[in-house]
Amino acid sequence: MTADSKTDVTDDHGVSLAEASRVWARVALLSFGGPAGQIAVMHRIIVDEKRWVPESRFLHALNYCMLLPGPEAQQLATYIGWLMHRTRGGIIAGGLFILPGVVSIMALSIVYALWGHVGIVAALFFGLKAAVLAIVIEAVVRIGRRSLKAPVMRGVAAASFVAIFFFAVPFPLIILTAALFGYVGASGGHAAFATVGHGAAHEDGESLLGNEPPAHATPSVRQALNVSLLWLALWLVPVLGILMVVGSENVFAQIAVFFSKMAVVTFGGAYAVLAYVAQQAVETYHWLTPAEMLDGLGMAETTPGPLIMVLQFVGFMAAFQAPGDLPPLLAGALGGLLATWVTFTPCFLWIFLGAPYIETIRQNRALSGALAAITAAVVGVILNLAIWFAIHTVFYKSVSVEGYGFSFDAPVLASVDVCSLTLSVAAACAIFRFHAGVLQTLAGSCLAGAGLFLVGAI
């Protein structure tokens, strides 16, 4: 019998898999507010309340997840679930973390596809877009304050913004360049690339797991090969099967390939990659409009789970718009689930493959420097996202500017949407001046949109 086939508790920590499953379900249902809020909820329950793992182990796992492509909060849940109950525990923790979001986004996608352009529903989403714009701007400010304390980091952020906004440099290239820059800088001992971690250093309190690596955390080549073969098959066999059956031009094949690529390059959280996803989905594949992309982001902001769940909405709309021989709603549901599968399956691969090795490493200055530079680059990429959203939210028209290496959209200033601009400014005031929460701001903006519709303003 293998370690993962045991049905009792793991080692000596005394937590049953059934009890752990209930706790992870609770974490998932409370995981609103983006990665910062989700990690805070997890820390409060797992570290402070349940005392499953010590502070240092929680932060060590988080540091690794921050270096990975994909949603760091979901990967952190998978990592701790794996620490507590091996592979089975990781699958349960990571799977439950996304389950409420999958169900919620699917339901909202169906509602949107059927009634999203009907009067009052369209007005609600009109207000939603204005709030999302303010929330993305707030993300730029929040991450910038934390990560751009040194001039060199502000330079990395500025260079990243210029590269992606004005020159359309691919997002993966920006992230890889920043990582290399940070790695070299930290290896050379430059103070600007030093990081202080995700929390204040202090003595760890008592915990059920303790600080020693569990028995199943010992890395081996055989284990790494088995994990790689299993999870690569789960991820890529469906993609290859779809390509063989329907061909590369079919919408399902495009969804499978595109979001598989995204799973490899989504460093820095959802906001960082959404600019690239939005531009590709809107301008290259024509799966949805900029307004629909903003609506999808608003849905993801209001539901539990990772913000990257917006990709399920994109997959849904892509297949719904081009269903082929399938009923549109069925095609949309399959497209959304396919996007979710190829987005999150690699997350389990990264954890189960890398965690045993990461458990043998406590501090690595060069990797910390790479992470710091990536985070700085992400600020510039999110600023690009905010401006791209603003152009397509506040203005009715934009023009493409190309030449001399430049390639960007510029707004037609005379086409300003006064109602949208007013709601966006109001949402920004609510967040920055009155410190309103995400859900409060989204709800208020939706009600304002409905009010404008009822008085005939939109």
Side-chain angles (χ1 to χ4, degrees), residues 315-356:
F316 181 99
M317 293 303 295
F320 181 82
Q321 306 277 18
D325 296 329
L326 296 174
L329 282 180
L330 176 58
L334 293 175
L337 292 175
L338 175 60
T340 301
W341 180 263
V342 297
T343 296
F344 286 99
T345 302
C347 295
F348 293 98
L349 170 63
W350 313 143
I351 297 300
F352 297 143
L353 178 61

Side-chain angles (χ1 to χ4, degrees), residues 73-91:
Q74 185 267 348
Q75 291 169 331
L76 179 59
T78 305
Y79 193 118
I80 297 175
W82 168 82
L83 275 177
M84 296 292 293
H85 293 100
R86 301 174 169 86
T87 302
R88 183 180 299 177
I91 293 173

Side-chain angles (χ1 to χ4, degrees), residues 322-412:
D325 296 329
L326 296 174
L329 282 180
L330 176 58
L334 293 175
L337 292 175
L338 175 60
T340 301
W341 180 263
V342 297
T343 296
F344 286 99
T345 302
C347 295
F348 293 98
L349 170 63
W350 313 143
I351 297 300
F352 297 143
L353 178 61
Y357 296 93
I358 295 303
E359 279 297 299
T360 65
I361 301 171
R362 283 296 178 183
Q363 297 293 332
N364 187 304
R365 183 175 61 185
L367 289 179
S368 296
L371 173 61
I374 287 173
T375 304
V378 162
V379 176
V381 174
I382 299 174
L383 178 60
N384 163 71
L385 173 66
I387 294 177
W388 189 85
F389 276 167
I391 291 171
H392 293 93
T393 301
V394 178
F395 299 91
Y396 289 114
K397 297 179 181 179
S398 63
V399 294
S400 179
V401 179
E402 297 183 1
Y404 303 102
F406 289 96
S407 178
F408 64 96
D409 285 345
V412 177

Side-chain angles (χ1 to χ4, degrees), residues 37-125:
Q38 293 159 1
I39 291 168
V41 166
M42 206 181 312
H43 183 276
R44 187 179 75 243
I45 294 175
I46 302 301
V47 178
D48 295 336
E49 180 184 324
K50 298 296 181 180
R51 297 188 180 278
W52 284 357
V53 297
E55 177 88 1
S56 60
R57 171 151 280 165
F58 183 90
L59 296 180
H60 181 66
L62 178 57
N63 284 332
Y64 172 57
C65 295
M66 288 287 290
L67 284 170
L68 294 173
E72 60 266 34
Q74 185 267 348
Q75 291 169 331
L76 179 59
T78 305
Y79 193 118
I80 297 175
W82 168 82
L83 275 177
M84 296 292 293
H85 293 100
R86 301 174 169 86
T87 302
R88 183 180 299 177
I91 293 173
I92 290 174
L96 285 175
F97 193 86
I98 65 174
L99 183 59
V102 171
V103 175
S104 301
I105 294 294
M106 183 63 69
L108 288 172
S109 298
I110 292 171
V111 170
Y112 185 84
L114 294 178
W115 300 291
H117 301 286
V118 175
I120 191 68
V121 177
L124 291 171
F125 281 105

Side-chain angles (χ1 to χ4, degrees), residues 179-259:
L180 179 61
F181 181 67
Y183 186 91
V184 172
S187 298
H190 296 285
F193 296 94
T195 59
V196 295
H198 299 272
H202 62 274
E203 291 293 327
D204 282 329
E206 292 185 1
S207 65
L208 297 178
L209 193 63
N211 270 305
E212 292 300 318
H216 63 274
T218 303
S220 71
V221 174
R222 180 179 179 181
Q223 178 191 50
L225 289 174
N226 289 338
V227 167
S228 299
L229 289 173
L230 173 62
W231 289 95
L232 283 172
L234 290 173
W235 173 18
L236 297 178
V237 167
V239 175
L240 295 174
I242 291 171
L243 284 169
M244 292 175 62
V245 172
V246 300
S248 60
E249 298 302 314
N250 183 274
V251 68
F252 289 102
Q254 292 175 338
I255 291 171
V257 172
F258 177 70
F259 290 113

